[in-house]
Each structure stands twice: as structure tokens, then as C-alpha cells.
Amino acid sequence: MVRYVQTVPAPADPYTGDRLLRSWLDRQLGPDGHAAARHRLTALAADVTGPLRAAHADAEAHPPTLRRYGPWGERIDQVRTSAGWQAQRAAAARHAVVALPYLPSARGTWGAAARVVQHALLHLYGPESATFSCPVAMADGAAALLSLPDVDREVRDAWLPRLTATDPATAITSGQWMTESQGGSDLGRSGTVARRDEHGRWRLTGEKWFCSAADSAMAVALARPDGAGGGSRVLVPFLVPRYAADSPLRADGVDPDAPAPGCGCTGSRTNSARGRCPPPRSACPTRTRCRWVTRTCPV
């Protein structure tokens, strides 16, 4: 008897093969608005069924690693990710998965419904993203925060264009450093404290557990200004650069992939929030002693 083995069925094109998605876009955008989005959706769908599927498999097979020390014993705390993870990063930028609702051309075409088109892009991108959809979501949240009118203009101008860039060589993502072990989802128990130093710069002292997207160039970290009292309403988001290349305190000759000077963020380990997750997301416990933050970003 010949043993029968079923072959893996080839998934349908996630855009042209999804009648419900296309009918929903017709209702939300109208026929003309949907037609204007079609080239973006078909281009991303082609990547999803081709190179991004392979990138997903590579990222799953090669989880991130934390390199704590350099060859001479210096503390470096570098999160290293796979080629597949980097391919996902580049595709998210190239297809404007984060950037779309911030692009003047998109707002001119769809208005507020640019978010509908972005949602459709995420619907196509997410299943084969190796959960890069997590840093995508956090980058979008950071971009929305920095877009607020009361955010320091210097901070906005330095970071928002990179969060919303469509050039993979320029685009960055953001982490979120919110949770602490003593509070969990109760942010009101956060113990990280923000104090100004003699130069007027904010310094954060505390421990975040865990740190989402620890390989991102920046993070939004919650801290309690010294003397502000208890509870969650007084917490303030701070922008923290992760690498030396992103810090104004960087000296000449410093490895741009080293931790930001004066930041003092040290990683304890990388692990997974869902047992098998390839990206450094949501479950990278990091002892965070952030000694320098650009500005507060009040919401």
C-alpha cells in the first residue's frame, strides 16, 4: 500500500481572494476610493504570498538573541534579530503600513478614511509578519503621540519623520516600556521615577518588565515625575533613545549600535509572550535605568 501524504494547499491571494475584504472596502471607501487603494493592496499581497512568507518562516526559525557583552567584556546589550525579521521591517516601511495615515497624499485622497486603507494593509500584512505587526502598532502609537500639538517641536521634528518614513533605510519603530512587575496591567503601581538633573534633563530610574520591541531605535516609557503623587493619572510618557546613533550625547567614535550614552538600559533576557514568538516583543524583561531622555511627551 502506498502511503498517502496530503500536500500543503497553496493559500489564496489575501486581497483578490478575499471577497469580504473587498466588499468592505467598497462600502467604507466607495468604489473610487477603493480603486485608489487597489495598487497598494495588490502590491502588498504579492509580497505576502512571496518573500514575506519566506521571511516569516526565517524569523520563526531564528528567534532574537540578547548579546550582553562584547569581545573585551564590555556591556553592550545588543538585541540581534534574523534576516527574516529585518525583511519584515523593510516591507512594513516600503508598503507604508505605519506611515500611510500620516502621508499628505493619503490624507488628500481618503481623508480620515486613510485609516481604513491602513487597516486593510495590516489585515494583509499581519498573518505573515512573524508578529512584526506588534512594533508596527507601537510605532503608529508613538507617531500619533508625537503628532499632538503640545509635544516639544524639537522632539517631533527629530523622530516623527523617521517613524513615518517609507524608506527602509530611514524608517524606525518604537517600543513601549510601560509594565512593571509589581503592577502588571495596573499602571497606577508604576515605580519608575523621573527627576531633572543639574542640566535640566530628565533622568528615569526604575525597572520595566517587560519591554516591547526592545530592538527599536526608541521607546515610549512611562514614569512618575518626582513628587507627583500616586495613581496612574500623573504618569508621563518619555521618549527614550535606545542606541548611541540616536542620542545627541553620542561621542565621536562610539559604536552606533551601542546603547545610548547615559541611558544605562541593560537587558536581562529575551523571551516570548506566547511561547514561540520570534520577535523581541512584549516579553523582554529589561532593567531600565534610563539616565537621559530627550523631552517629556505629555498627552
Side-chain angles (χ1 to χ4, degrees), residues 177-195:
W177 299 357
M178 311 291 179
T179 311
E180 300 181 12
S181 59
Q182 73 275 9
S185 59
D186 182 4
L187 295 178
R189 299 183 65 187
S190 295
T192 298
V193 176
R195 297 182 179 90

Side-chain angles (χ1 to χ4, degrees), residues 44-243:
L44 178 55
D47 268 7
V48 165
T49 56
L52 290 185
R53 188 158 292 160
H56 183 176
D58 180 78
E60 291 278 0
H62 302 93
T65 59
L66 173 63
R67 186 185 180 199
R68 295 184 182 180
Y69 299 98
W72 293 92
E74 71 277 21
R75 194 72 187 252
I76 58 174
D77 292 290
Q78 292 179 349
V79 178
R80 297 192 170 186
T81 55
S82 66
W85 182 249
Q86 295 304 321
Q88 294 288 349
R89 181 190 303 278
R94 192 169 58 251
H95 290 285
V97 180
V98 173
L100 187 76
Y102 302 93
L103 298 177
S105 59
R107 294 197 300 270
T109 301
W110 298 290
R115 285 287 182 182
V116 173
V117 182
Q118 182 195 34
H119 180 84
L121 291 172
L122 286 164
H123 179 77
L124 301 178
Y125 175 76
E128 296 289 354
S129 70
T131 326
F132 197 84
S133 51
C134 174
V136 159
M138 290 183 291
D140 191 4
L145 178 66
L146 292 177
S147 297
L148 295 175
D150 52 353
V151 170
D152 185 283
R153 179 176 294 181
E154 181 183 348
V155 175
R156 181 189 300 115
D157 292 347
W159 294 93
L160 183 58
R162 299 170 66 191
L163 287 165
T164 59
T166 56
D167 180 359
T170 304
I172 63 169
T173 57
S174 174
Q176 287 185 5
W177 299 357
M178 311 291 179
T179 311
E180 300 181 12
S181 59
Q182 73 275 9
S185 59
D186 182 4
L187 295 178
R189 299 183 65 187
S190 295
T192 298
V193 176
R195 297 182 179 90
R196 287 190 184 272
D197 64 12
E198 64 275 16
H199 303 292
R201 294 188 296 254
W202 287 100
R203 296 174 180 266
L204 273 58
T205 305
E207 180 175 297
K208 294 297 183 181
W209 189 281
F210 41 67
C211 292
S212 300
D215 63 328
S216 295
M218 60 163 280
V220 176
L222 283 183
R224 189 181 308 279
D226 193 23
S232 62
R233 292 183 179 275
V234 298
L235 296 176
V236 174
F238 289 81
L239 191 155
V240 183
R242 181 67 181 89
Y243 297 108

